[in-house]
Amino acid sequence: MGRTLPLFPEAASTQAGQVDILYFFVIAVSAFFSVLIAGLVITFAVKFRRRSPDAVGAPITGSLALELLWSIVPLLITMVLFVWGAWVFLDMARPPRGSMEVFVVGKQWMWKVQHPGGQREINELHVPAGRNVRLTIGSEDVIHSYYIPAFRQKIDAVPGKLTTMWFNATTPGEYHLFCAEYCGTKHSGMVGRIVVLSPDDFESWLAGGSGASPAVSGEKLFTDLACNTCHLGGSGGRGPVLNGVPGSTVQLADGSTVLADDNYLRESIMNPQAKIVAGYQPLMPTFQGLVSEEGLLQLISYIKSLPPAAAGSGHTAPAASPAPSGATPGDGAGQ
Ligand code: CUA
């Protein structure tokens, strides 16, 4: 844009404004008290200065009113900051249902992206304006951080788990993408761009690419890795039926329950002994080293794409905890 260096990045997501207002509020409160305190220090230093060599100050024994004032006022201000900050944070932490889900994998030193339709990109991300987009982010090696200043969004890509970011881009254009966590020699080169397109342009962009969708690739992996020899479509397999598992509450062998979110599915593939489903033996081998991070996302995408549990399956999950938390199967992948 302009030649002058902007003080602030553009605000190009629905959340950017909320973050900025909160930020300016913090700045304003800090500035107000900095000026107030510095002003009082100077004023008092002048007003109550020693006027003769043997002057002695009056003894002060304290003031309840003052003590209360400077305890209660900061308490109220910090509570406002806490509640307001938590509200903005929680909004950012919870992707709305029905968001378009895009997979992102960080590795030294690039960002690999796969769209629900199978389109792939490296160090770029094309998204439509005006639509909720959810990024599910993994790392192939070390900790990276996916940072889009114009959206006021930043989330770490952590090896061994999946993290999520969501945004709704407001303005078509190109925006910076940075890696914001030092990740080795070429960390500073791990940059790219976010391209926000109008919905029509986005559709044409999508049409220009092709490839198997993550769910289809995942189905192939599922067969290639012989997952289907134990996880049968119906009951009677050595492993649990996977239909309807994502988003449900799963009853475990040790009596506890777990919400089957992305990280649970991931862990169950990489470290199957960690949580054994009630009624099953700990037979499954680990797939650590056999599946790439992208492959994992594809497997998860495939499992999410399965139709809800078939009647009569031996699947224990929904029985253990009826209705509420089991309400989301099929939602996640956005296929
Ligand atoms: Cu990746 Cu810094």
Side-chain angles (χ1 to χ4, degrees):
M1 308 249 154
R3 299 248 159 87
T4 53
L5 198 60
L7 189 58
F8 256 74
E10 295 155 86
S13 78
T14 51
Q15 295 141 333
Q18 298 174 27
V19 174
D20 287 353
I21 293 172
L22 178 58
Y23 181 74
F24 287 131
F25 180 75
V26 175
I27 294 283
V29 168
S30 307
F32 173 79
F33 281 101
S34 300
V35 169
L36 178 71
I37 291 167
L40 286 177
V41 165
I42 293 166
T43 309
F44 290 168
V46 172
K47 188 169 177 202
F48 299 110
R49 71 186 184 278
R50 201 181 209 191
R51 286 161 205 271
S52 67
D54 50 355
V56 175
I60 297 172
T61 54
S63 158
L64 182 64
L66 262 182
E67 299 268 2
L68 287 176
L69 184 74
W70 68 47
S71 299
I72 291 171
V73 170
L75 176 72
L76 292 178
I77 293 173
T78 47
M79 280 301 127
V80 166
L81 286 175
F82 168 67
V83 173
W84 187 354
W87 182 73
V88 173
F89 173 81
L90 289 175
D91 177 55
M92 288 186 160
R94 292 189 290 214
R97 254 173 204 234
S99 302
M100 172 183 135
E101 187 177 30
V102 177
F103 293 139
V104 177
V105 174
K107 59 172 283 191
Q108 291 169 320
W109 285 275
M110 65 176 78
W111 295 107
K112 297 193 287 184
V113 167
Q114 189 172 18
H115 287 262
Q119 295 83 356
R120 290 172 181 279
E121 321 186 52
I122 288 180
N123 291 342
E124 291 201 349
L125 173 62
H126 287 71
V127 291
R131 185 148 166 218
N132 294 334
V133 176
R134 169 192 171 159
L135 306 184
T136 299
I137 302 174
S139 167
E140 197 91 38
D141 37 43
V142 300
I143 301 179
H144 304 274
S145 186
Y146 201 82
Y147 180 31
I148 313 171
F151 295 174
R152 310 292 188 270
Q153 284 279 5
K154 174 162 64 178
I155 194 88
D156 280 3
V158 184
K161 66 179 280 193
L162 298 172
T163 51
T164 339
M165 169 193 287
W166 82 271
F167 54 78
N168 188 321
T170 51
T171 321
E174 289 186 15
Y175 306 97
H176 288 295
L177 164 66
F178 296 111
C179 177
E181 183 71 49
Y182 181 72
C183 54
T185 316
K186 291 179 186 159
H187 156 71
S188 64
M190 198 169 160
V191 297
R193 54 182 196 149
I194 308 293
V195 183
V196 179
L197 300 170
S198 69
D200 286 348
D201 288 349
F202 182 69
E203 287 309 317
S204 355
W205 180 84
L206 280 183
S210 61
S213 74
V216 169
S217 309
E219 183 172 15
K220 183 171 183 308
L221 262 179
F222 197 77
T223 314
D224 291 351
L225 295 166
C227 310
N228 55 351
T229 55
C230 293
H231 297 282
L232 308 177
S235 59
R238 277 177 292 174
V241 174
L242 300 177
N243 299 57
V245 168
S248 72
T249 302
V250 176
Q251 181 75 48
L252 300 179
D254 66 2
S256 61
T257 58
V258 62
L259 173 68
D261 58 9
D262 288 353
N263 276 309
Y264 166 76
L265 298 176
R266 187 189 186 288
E267 181 188 58
S268 298
I269 298 169
M270 298 308 254
N271 185 13
Q273 308 295 321
K275 298 190 176 74
I276 302 295
V277 175
Y280 290 91
Q281 295 300 310
L283 297 172
M284 182 169 156
T286 175
F287 284 80
Q288 197 99 41
L290 299 175
V291 197
S292 68
E293 202 60 34
E294 271 180 290
L296 266 173
L297 288 167
Q298 290 164 351
L299 281 171
I300 291 172
S301 182
Y302 167 63
I303 293 168
K304 284 179 173 176
S305 75
L306 293 171
S313 75
H315 177 263
T316 53
S321 162
S325 53
T328 55
D331 157 58
Q335 317 282 337

